[in-house]
Amino acid sequence: MAYEVRIAGKPIATFDTSDAALGRVRDEIGRRPDCEPEIIDTSTGHAFEPAASKGWREHLTKAMR
């Protein structure tokens, strides 16, 4: 299984593990706190877990209002 990290909708790297992808996202957030990171499971084409994509975050925000 592979995990693609996207920033502002653009792929920047692919990793073999979700932990490695999360590490890259943490690094990117440290450099650019306002970036829009996503981690996509390449086998499904969907976020690898809830809130790991921009769409999920928007859905959760609307549900909490």
Side-chain angles (χ1 to χ4, degrees):
M1 199 176 311
Y3 299 91
E4 181 179 80
V5 173
R6 297 178 186 171
I7 302 294
K10 297 178 183 173
I12 61 166
T14 302
F15 298 92
D16 291 332
T17 67
S18 59
D19 287 339
L22 283 167
R24 179 61 183 268
V25 166
R26 287 184 192 104
D27 291 344
E28 291 295 327
I29 290 172
R31 284 192 287 270
R32 302 180 294 165
D34 293 335
C35 70
E36 282 286 344
E38 298 180 279
I39 301 174
I40 306 300
D41 180 338
T42 60
S43 65
T44 65
H46 298 286
F48 91 105
E49 60 182 33
S53 72
K54 183 179 176 184
W56 260 105
R57 289 189 293 273
E58 290 171 355
H59 170 77
L60 293 171
T61 299
K62 289 177 185 176
M64 295 177 70
R65 289 184 187 177

